[in-house]
Amino acid sequence: YFTPLPKLTEDSYRVFFFKIRNKDSFSDSDPYNMIRHAVNLQEIRLHEDVAFGDIFIFDVADITFKYVLKLTPFKVFYMVKIYEKFFSSRLKGIYFLNAPSFMEKLLAIIKLFMKPKLFK
């Protein structure tokens, strides 16, 4: 599931929540599917939403190392650059719930491609 919550925060930010519905089928899926879904959602928001920025909450309890291995540096670079360059919303925060230990390595890779101010 990757869905925006219906109400804005007090500061007028939109909160998105991500949760894996089916661990087995998610591990076998291509990360591009998640990226495509997020991009489609952002495109709809450009026309219909009034939020000042985004807060992402990811419940990654069921994410597997097999799936993380599919997130090549190019895919991560692609995902970060699309968000930074093509969408006008600002990133307020990203939160990971129930993160396994290997998520630190994934965040280190993502940090390489983000602007320092954005990662902070």
Side-chain angles (χ1 to χ4, degrees), residues 9-82:
T9 66
E10 291 179 5
D11 298 334
S12 296
Y13 285 90
R14 178 69 63 200
V15 177
F16 288 87
F17 187 75
F18 171 84
K19 171 85 174 130
I20 298 170
R21 182 177 57 182
N22 185 333
K23 179 180 177 179
D24 296 327
S25 64
F26 184 80
S27 294
D28 294 331
S29 68
D30 186 352
Y32 273 125
N33 291 336
M34 182 182 70
I35 294 169
R36 284 185 198 112
H37 183 67
V39 167
N40 287 339
L41 198 55
Q42 287 293 89
E43 288 176 349
I44 292 169
R45 287 189 55 227
L46 285 175
H47 298 285
E48 299 186 16
D49 202 0
V50 293
F52 290 141
D54 300 323
I55 299 171
F56 294 103
I57 301 173
F58 295 93
D59 185 349
V60 292
D62 294 328
I63 199 165
T64 63
F65 191 66
K66 177 182 175 182
Y67 184 79
V68 171
L69 288 175
K70 293 178 186 180
L71 288 169
T72 64
F74 177 74
K75 289 178 184 176
V76 173
F77 175 78
Y78 172 74
M79 180 175 55
V80 170
K81 290 305 168 190
I82 284 177

